[in-house]
Amino acid sequence: MRNIDDAVKSLQKAVQFRTISDTDMEQVNFKPYEEFLSHLKETYKEVYRRAEVTWINKYSPVFHLQGNKEDEPVLLLGHYDVVPVAEGTKEDWLSDPFGGEIRDGYLYGRGTLDDKNQVVSILEALENLLQEGYMPSRDFYLAFGFDEEVGGSLGAKEIAAYFREKDLRFFMVLDEGGAVMEDVLEGVTVPLALVGVAEKGSSMIKVTAKGEGGHSSMPPEYLVTEVLGKALLAIASQPMEARLTGAVEAMFQGMGPHMGWKGKLIGNIRTSFPLVRKTLEKTPALHALIRTTITPTVVRAGNAYNVIPQEASMILNARILPGDTTEDVLRHLKKIHEGLPVQYQYLVKEEASKVTDHEGEAFSLLKDLIHSVYGDAVILPYLMAGGTDSRKYEELSDNILRFSAVRMKNEDLKRVHGTDERISIENLERMITFYRNLFLHFS
Ligand SMILES: [Zn+2]
């Protein structure tokens, strides 16, 4: 039997392989990927022995563990690629980001929260159970991506295609995402376990203004930079409509009773929305939950001090709320830019994900499992502003849930993709117990 020390050692080692993905995957050194995968194989022998392992695109293992019933299988996701350490920040770390060192009860390193912790915890839990003679009552699949951080087109997307080919439907797909947050909002007195039931879409639109160039000593009446500037200002001053979607409404309603007197308004968000909207808009993380945001990210014009550019352009990142579409965004832009000679082109078109029912069977099972590890947490659905691999599996299940069983403070969020990423040994232990209970639920 493996114990927590073995699990810690396994994660320490896992962190040491520099499985850094890149938008250009051709540039990636796959040696650490291979070493990481050998590490799993050497460590989780019983899982490899009992499950059928299929390799997708060489680096994504899909484990299939057969149950003894005909029920829809459960799919557990994770990824083992990591983001690099941002240039110039390595010195800020307390420990080597790829050292896997332990300090004061924390294991430091890239991937300890995102997302090698998940891969290791799932395998730890299953390895032990199999050693104890565990027989799942339905099929389980585990699938680990190797390019999640750069979009998942080689890993998750191909794994999903493989499942489609096999005509599989899942009772539940569980991926990384929310966590148990201790201080998510000022005034909330209990830890909140936030379970992602949907993801916003992230689309890129290029807006271009074209005109005549010339010498800046004799400016024409009409400048492309002015046109683009007006277009930009209109976006800032005329945002898309703020509104409540089901999951966000349920989240606020559930928070309200744990916020003291302040909670009255939040708890009754449906009626108080016109009132609290302005307050929510002031906090970026909350603002993101109530609106499709459109943000200029790359703005370009001109390349010489004294030449009038013929073209000015900007790229807008639209983060789309469930219920809105890329078409709605375009319609909105055309409306607020009426009379401005600009053209639009979608560079990336991604709609919001489907929304999982937070009153459904899978969510309620997850609630029980979270309570088994975090008895004091209030469990709420929420909308994710960022993306995960789980989006690729949309067609394969009605119940896609995004949750990592770790307990965190707000300040820990910036460790993800940031400096001093770390996991407490306690958290690792709770994650393993969480997955153990999940497997045991189906036995
Ligand atoms: Zn991740």
Side-chain angles (χ1 to χ4, degrees), residues 79 81 113-115 148-149 176 387 417:
H79 67 89
D81 63 314
L113 285 175
D114 182 13
D115 187 42
E148 191 273 347
E149 298 292 359
E176 61 175 336
H417 292 201

Side-chain angles (χ1 to χ4, degrees), residues 56-105:
I56 305 295
N57 254 340
K58 217 165 149 195
Y59 297 105
S60 268
V62 173
F63 299 85
H64 175 203
L65 191 68
Q66 230 157 4
N68 53 26
K69 280 199 205 131
E70 288 294 290
D71 298 325
E72 281 186 329
V74 171
L75 171 60
L76 304 181
L77 300 177
H79 67 89
Y80 67 92
D81 63 314
V82 296
V83 295
V85 172
E87 226 170 292
T89 65
K90 192 171 174 243
E91 303 309 310
D92 303 336
W93 283 66
L94 276 174
S95 272
D96 176 357
F98 295 98
E101 203 185 324
I102 309 236
R103 274 170 178 258
D104 304 325

